Amino acid sequence: MTLKIDLKSAILALSDALDLVGVDDFQHGKRVAMIARETGLALGLPEKHLDRLVCASLLHDVGVSSTTIHQRLLQETNWGHRHAHCESGYRLLQPFAHLSLLATAIRYHHTHWVELPSGLAEGEALDSNLILLGERVDALVFQRGLENPLFNRVGIVEAVAALAGRELSPVVVDAFLGVAAREAFWIALVPRHVQRYVLDLPLGDWSLSIDFPQFGHVARLISSIVDAKSHFTAAHSLGVAQLARYLGERAGLAGDTPARLEVAGLMHDVGKLCVPDEIVEKPARLTPLEFSVMERHSFETYEILRHIPGLEQVAEWAAFHHEALNGNGYPFRRGADGLSTEARIVAVADVFQALAQERPYRGAQRAEEIPRWLNDFVGNGVLDGELVALACEDLDGSWRAATAVPSPDACVWD
């Protein structure tokens, strides 16, 4: 495969996905990155160190996919289970050549300065503490209101100063107090400015090309975060990806298209991170208001993926999985003329895999029951009949693709 993906764009996309988990506290990772970087600048850190710090800050909550846990982390700074997501983030990033450089700082970003392991490298200890500083400041900003952080700065500065020597390094706090004296720092924390702040950073060492197989592993990382949101969706994205690739191969799609279909399947539900846990796990029919929240997820998927150069087509295949041939799907109301074969394949794979899994409102369907459900969708003008027939012709093979969970070391990107 010749397709190359920019790692910086992939990190920013992953950051956008993680930002969704906050629901109301949008752009948490980006504000933490800005707070940490500005304090690092005041400490005189070199540019390469600052770039690594920014990337670690953007991804520091990579172990969080639950909106409930995110809220507790913001509201209860010393919550007893706060280290669990740090360990999850560490494990998730360890296997990746570039992202593994961020793993240790993320592992200890909720560890108090006086409790950091004695053997931790000085740079990683500093990065962890700068991220913790960003977390503390952002929690206080959010609690007092994101509309005007400047107005609330005095109380925030006093609260942070009180943490020096215990949770935060005195050197870090002193540097932050110097940064906090500038009105521009607080004004820049509002959403439109912090977004531009991060996008304008060159992140030189991280603006490099990775090949498509490497990005496939990053896509699997993203899918694991999404699927961890609920035990009802455990391995859902992985199953959709495997079945989409399997159907693409059976349909005779050429070149790297089946592999790209797998990436689309892995990331098709990334926008679901914005849906509150109580809606995802509701055991009854959604209210119109709740369904309108659920409908957002496909659009959010599109907005996250389309900004990664080279993934424009994949973004459409992933985001159109709730569109329908009759034009009555959501959220773009695409009809048959606007849905490619690849987008139709992802839609079939999504329905098939969902039927094979338990949901809060129904049990898992047996393999032999799935064709009836799929053909009902065909009859109602939702799914492509030829592709459904392709999935049902080899029902055992489709079932295995949709439900098999490979070992973590399995590689299908070659």
Side-chain angles (χ1 to χ4, degrees):
M1 297 181 199
T2 58
L3 179 65
K4 297 286 186 180
I5 302 293
D6 178 58
L7 180 60
K8 174 188 171 183
S9 298
I11 289 172
L12 291 174
L14 180 50
S15 169
D16 287 344
L18 296 173
D19 281 345
L20 296 178
V21 182
V23 183
D24 297 323
D25 178 35
F26 188 61
Q27 294 180 325
H28 169 67
K30 294 179 177 63
R31 286 193 299 276
V32 170
M34 177 185 160
I35 295 162
R37 184 179 187 276
E38 288 298 304
T39 307
L41 272 172
L43 289 168
L45 298 182
E47 200 67 28
K48 286 189 174 185
H49 190 156
L50 291 171
D51 287 351
R52 188 185 72 206
L53 173 64
V54 166
C55 291
S57 299
L58 290 173
L59 303 185
H60 75 278
D61 274 344
V62 72
V64 180
S65 53
S66 162
T67 56
T68 302
I69 291 176
H70 181 89
Q71 289 166 3
R72 293 202 68 169
L73 289 168
L74 270 180
Q75 296 164 5
E76 304 174 42
T77 55
N78 287 315
W79 180 41
H81 297 289
R82 67 187 185 279
H83 295 293
H85 79 284
C86 303
E87 291 295 330
S88 295
Y90 175 77
R91 289 194 303 270
L92 285 169
L93 296 182
Q94 272 291 302
F96 303 102
H98 301 288
L99 300 184
S100 64
L101 299 174
L102 315 175
T104 300
I106 287 172
R107 185 181 197 180
Y108 294 109
H109 79 269
H110 271 290
T111 302
H112 294 175
W113 178 251
V114 296
E115 297 172 353
L116 287 169
S118 58
L120 196 61
E122 182 179 353
E124 291 176 327
L126 181 59
D127 287 356
S128 293
N129 207 233
L130 285 166
I131 296 171
L132 179 58
L133 166 74
E135 285 251 311
R136 292 292 181 264
V137 174
D138 190 52
L140 293 165
V141 168
F142 179 71
Q143 290 163 12
R144 289 160 171 76
L146 285 168
E147 300 81 11
N148 189 357
L150 177 61
F151 181 74
N152 299 308
R153 65 173 171 166
V154 174
I156 294 173
V157 167
E158 291 174 350
V160 171
L163 302 177
R166 180 169 47 90
E167 290 193 26
L168 299 174
S169 158
V171 174
V172 165
V173 171
D174 284 345
F176 171 73
L177 296 180
V179 171
R182 305 195 308 262
E183 290 84 357
F185 168 77
W186 298 98
I187 297 168
L189 286 173
V190 301
R192 70 180 184 278
H193 295 315
V194 77
Q195 178 83 7
R196 179 48 56 191
Y197 178 93
V198 171
L199 291 178
D200 283 347
L201 295 174
L203 300 179
D205 282 355
W206 299 85
S207 189
L208 53 90
S209 292
I210 58 175
D211 59 26
F212 193 79
Q214 285 180 291
F215 182 76
H217 291 295
V218 175
R220 184 163 289 186
L221 163 66
I222 294 171
S223 75
S224 68
I225 298 166
V226 175
D227 289 353
K229 187 170 181 65
S230 168
H231 75 275
F232 290 108
T233 57
H236 169 65
S237 300
L238 181 59
V240 171
Q242 292 172 164
L243 181 54
R245 179 169 186 151
Y246 181 70
L247 293 178
E249 291 169 346
R250 282 180 54 78
L253 299 184
D256 62 6
T257 299
R260 295 194 193 201
L261 274 170
E262 185 165 7
V263 167
L266 285 170
M267 299 193 296
H268 78 287
D269 266 350
V270 65
K272 198 171 280 186
L273 290 172
C274 74
V275 182
D277 300 351
E278 58 270 23
I279 293 179
V280 172
E281 299 200 328
K282 185 175 179 179
R285 188 181 184 88
L286 299 183
T287 67
L289 175 59
E290 290 168 338
F291 188 68
S292 72
V293 174
M294 180 65 79
E295 284 183 307
R296 287 177 47 193
H297 81 274
S298 301
F299 183 81
E300 297 289 359
T301 292
Y302 181 66
E303 285 299 303
I304 288 169
L305 299 184
R306 75 184 183 92
H307 293 293
I308 303 177
L311 284 194
E312 293 84 359
Q313 276 191 323
V314 170
E316 293 191 354
W317 303 346
F320 293 168
H321 65 278
H322 283 297
E323 301 296 327
L325 299 184
N326 59 19
N328 292 327
Y330 67 86
F332 299 101
R333 295 284 170 168
R334 291 287 186 112
D337 291 344
L339 295 172
S340 65
T341 297
E342 293 85 358
R344 298 178 189 206
I345 285 174
V346 175
V348 171
D350 179 53
V351 175
F352 190 112
Q353 206 289 330
L355 288 168
Q357 275 192 315
E358 181 186 3
R359 290 292 181 263
Y361 47 85
R362 61 157 173 79
Q365 306 301 300
R366 297 191 303 273
E368 61 270 21
E369 297 172 328
I370 288 180
R372 175 175 60 83
W373 287 92
L374 293 178
N375 283 314
D376 283 346
F377 281 106
V378 172
N380 290 327
V382 177
L383 298 178
D384 185 298
E386 292 184 5
L387 293 173
V388 164
L390 195 66
C392 296
E393 282 172 7
D394 180 16
L395 189 58
D396 287 345
S398 295
W399 176 268
R400 285 195 300 272
T403 59
V405 179
S407 71
D409 298 327
C411 179
V412 293
W413 305 103
D414 296 332

